[in-house]
Amino acid sequence: MKALLIRVFGSSVTIDFERTPEGISCQTYRLTRGNDRYYLRVAEELHEDLSVDADIQRRLHQAGAHVPDVVHVERFDEGLQRSVLIMTEIAGVSVAKITSAEVAVHVVRDAAADAAAINAIEVDGFGWLDRRRPGWPPRGQLASYGAFVESGLPEAGIRRERLGRLFSPDHLDRIEAIISAEQVRPVAIARLAHGDLDATHIYCDGASYTGIIDFGELRGAEPEFDLGHFLLDDCDENPTPLFEHFLAGYRDAASKTLNVRLNLDDDQIRRSAILHGFRQLCGWLQPERGLESRRSLVRPRAERLADLLDGV
């Protein structure tokens, strides 16, 4: 690590680094160089090239989006045996920590414009980004939306067995109907999704929005994916209901600032939230992953999905 940092920043100023507490699979380090702070991300897999992510973040930053700017990227660092990406800091704290409802509402409305800018980028294919092949547009690992819908889901009989105790038979039937309908919905073009967009990843300094962080779960998805994720996690981290304000800011930015018509439908956003939440549950309940590590999340997530199914 030290050799990499000296190569990038030089040796005139000491650089301290520490692993951030957030994230398990994605290694991220906080770098402190004098009064400046940066973040270093290490690719999860040996074959991944973070220049794919760097290209996306550079383009967004140059277009005026409040996202971390790229300081340095290496396709493969011999010392770490991984691709690495060094980024500038987004100052402040997450909206999850804001106690003022007025401030939280103001900040997420501003953040929605950047979310719309992210989602305006087209992806060639669906699912996790293919980080083996840098280029533009970014590429997804799956060829169709139907394949993306069922990605991460076990067979229908297995998922009913595993999740039967969490849902009523009626709710399970309705979830299966959503899966079936989404598999044949004609979504021809994938949009770039942040992939984990909620209050914890939107930052502010005082009452001013400063940016969106954590681009480790980028993927190609349906246009409603990030909105559905935000809806799914609304009130999880901040007790103030923020989704309607986020959606209002998003619609305004998409139609005016970006001149993009996404034809967003409230019911479709809710279906996207349900589908994503169900995928999460199926992943958490895989026998090889073990229920114990996710026990505190499973029941609340199932209850949230039941509320969404009932239109609450």
Side-chain angles (χ1 to χ4, degrees):
M1 177 75 79
K2 288 184 178 180
L4 167 66
L5 297 179
I6 290 173
R7 189 165 68 250
V8 175
F9 294 101
S11 57
S12 60
V13 179
T14 300
I15 301 178
D16 297 319
F17 60 90
E18 60 180 344
R19 178 82 181 265
T20 61
E22 301 85 4
I24 297 174
S25 59
C26 183
Q27 293 185 55
T28 304
Y29 294 85
R30 182 183 295 108
L31 314 178
T32 302
R33 184 176 187 266
N35 294 324
D36 298 322
R37 182 172 288 176
Y38 306 90
Y39 285 85
L40 183 149
R41 178 178 154 206
V42 180
E44 296 179 38
E45 302 293 339
L46 186 66
H47 66 268
E48 291 183 338
D49 182 353
L50 293 184
S51 64
V52 172
D53 302 63
D55 192 10
I56 291 170
Q57 288 181 219
R58 279 197 185 108
R59 290 170 184 263
L60 286 168
H61 192 271
Q62 290 169 359
H66 300 73
V67 302
D69 196 8
V70 175
V71 174
H72 180 79
V73 63
E74 289 195 13
R75 293 188 172 182
F76 190 79
D77 175 75
E78 290 290 343
L80 294 174
Q81 291 290 295
R82 291 288 188 278
S83 180
V84 295
L85 171 60
I86 300 176
M87 303 161 285
T88 56
E89 177 190 37
I90 296 295
V93 299
S94 76
V95 172
K97 298 180 180 179
I98 299 302
T99 57
S100 167
E102 182 179 2
V103 170
V105 166
H106 171 73
V107 170
V108 299
R109 283 189 68 103
D110 285 349
D114 286 340
I118 293 168
N119 296 162
I121 295 174
E122 294 184 3
V123 177
D124 181 11
F126 292 81
W128 299 112
L129 294 189
D130 185 350
R131 293 183 172 92
R132 296 168 298 180
R133 297 186 299 162
W136 197 262
R139 300 177 178 89
Q141 296 181 6
L142 301 173
S144 69
Y145 178 59
F148 177 59
V149 169
E150 64 181 355
S151 61
L153 292 176
E155 294 180 359
I158 295 175
R159 59 188 183 239
R160 290 190 75 100
E161 178 181 352
R162 289 181 185 169
L163 280 75
R165 62 183 180 79
L166 296 172
F167 296 98
S168 69
D170 176 63
H171 280 154
L172 275 178
D173 288 343
R174 288 155 69 182
I175 290 171
E176 291 297 334
I178 289 173
I179 293 171
S180 297
E182 287 298 297
Q183 284 178 314
V184 297
R185 181 161 72 103
V187 181
I189 299 175
R191 297 282 179 175
L192 184 67
H194 175 278
D196 195 19
L197 190 56
D198 56 27
T200 64
H201 295 130
I202 295 173
Y203 269 53
C204 62
D205 188 359
S208 300
Y209 165 65
T210 54
I212 294 174
I213 70 164
D214 194 355
F215 286 78
E217 298 203 22
L218 291 171
R219 69 196 77 188
E222 71 272 25
E224 304 86 4
F225 186 95
D226 277 341
L227 290 167
H229 189 287
F230 198 100
L231 173 61
L232 182 68
D233 285 353
D234 197 22
C235 296
D236 274 3
E237 302 293 340
N238 189 309
T240 303
L242 296 173
F243 173 72
E244 292 302 329
H245 305 286
F246 183 77
L247 179 59
Y250 189 102
R251 289 187 190 278
D252 185 63
S255 62
K256 295 181 181 179
T257 307
L258 298 175
N259 195 29
V260 174
R261 301 187 66 180
L262 296 178
N263 298 320
L264 297 170
D265 174 79
D266 289 348
D267 287 338
Q268 187 58 57
I269 293 170
R270 186 167 64 250
R271 286 192 289 270
S272 183
I274 292 167
L275 182 58
H276 179 53
F278 191 69
R279 284 198 204 98
Q280 284 182 324
L281 278 177
C282 288
W284 294 344
L285 294 173
Q286 290 180 39
E288 58 270 25
R289 294 185 66 176
L291 174 60
E292 291 302 321
S293 63
R294 296 287 188 174
R295 185 175 293 278
S296 63
L297 301 176
V298 168
R299 181 62 66 178
R301 177 59 86 223
E303 292 172 352
R304 177 62 173 155
L305 290 183
D307 287 343
L308 290 171
L309 285 163
D310 293 333
V312 177

